Amino acid sequence: HAFSSMSKNLQSCPKTEDGREDDNDAKAGPSTHTGGPDPSLASDDNGAQSAEDLEAPIIPKSVGSSSGELPLVFVLGMPKCGTTSLHQALQYAGWTSVHWALDHSLAFKECGANTRLRTSGYLADERLIAKLIWRARQEGLPPLANLPKDVNAVAEMNGLYWESWEEWKVWGFFPQMSMLKDLFSSYPDARFILNVRDPVRWVASVGKHNDMRLRLVVADLPGLPSGVGRSDWQLVEWVENHHKRVKEEAAASGVKLLVFDVEKQGAAELGEFLGRPVKWEKHNASRN
């Protein structure tokens, strides 16, 4: 079982003198890196906390009615665009939401597993939402087939991690791009949320969040081939094209779509779309 495998791997997690991996050491990284800027040296949004603290997923929990009464919810926008706040809002309203990576135990955060996932792909096959969805596609299964059965909301589905620092290679997969039509056809009764914000401010936020911008540039993504994205306008154009495509494909598919501006809208619009009260607060917000 995936969780059993993860538990075994956690037992071998490197420790510091006080028994924990040093999560706040922003300069820590794989020893295989030999060239180019060190991704682990990039600062986060606040200039103080570790990359793991900012990218750490929250343990899924349901506080409302049973998951069988709730429609599936998919968030189709970009990281650093209110996904943590949407994750929290969905949990508050009763959904069993996952965000970026599975995290069934606080041991992952205490062990530094989230930072290690980003910098080396540690447990990506078992934890990373994007990898689980990618594997389902490879196996000819529905997109959510490899996620826990009680999950009924995905607040952030994309994933990026360093496969090789020597070869300057990043594994990246954005299901909301590569599998957009598959998501609509596989789950026609789901609620889809396209989270948006001012694209220039979004680019600035991405640039301040650990090494996310560098991973975007190095990875080979739909509409953003490896090496593209060093200029702000390239990322702005990329995200705007994605927003346009989501709206066009949703209209053609007839699915329920909410275009949700995380900077201008809140609980009223989100709650009306979901059909139940939600609590909207800004989490993991940068200064941009």
Side-chain angles (χ1 to χ4, degrees), residues 42-45 80 201-214 235 288:
S43 64
D44 55 40
D45 287 353
K80 300 308 300 170
R201 290 166 59 85
W202 173 76
V203 170
S205 183
V206 166
K208 288 189 174 184
H209 186 68
N210 52 65
D211 66 336
M212 181 177 285
R213 181 161 186 171
L214 182 58
L235 287 181
N288 292 295

Side-chain angles (χ1 to χ4, degrees), residues 24-47:
N24 294 319
D25 183 2
K27 296 183 180 181
S31 60
T32 57
H33 178 57
T34 58
D38 187 342
S40 64
L41 298 180
S43 64
D44 55 40
D45 287 353
N46 299 316

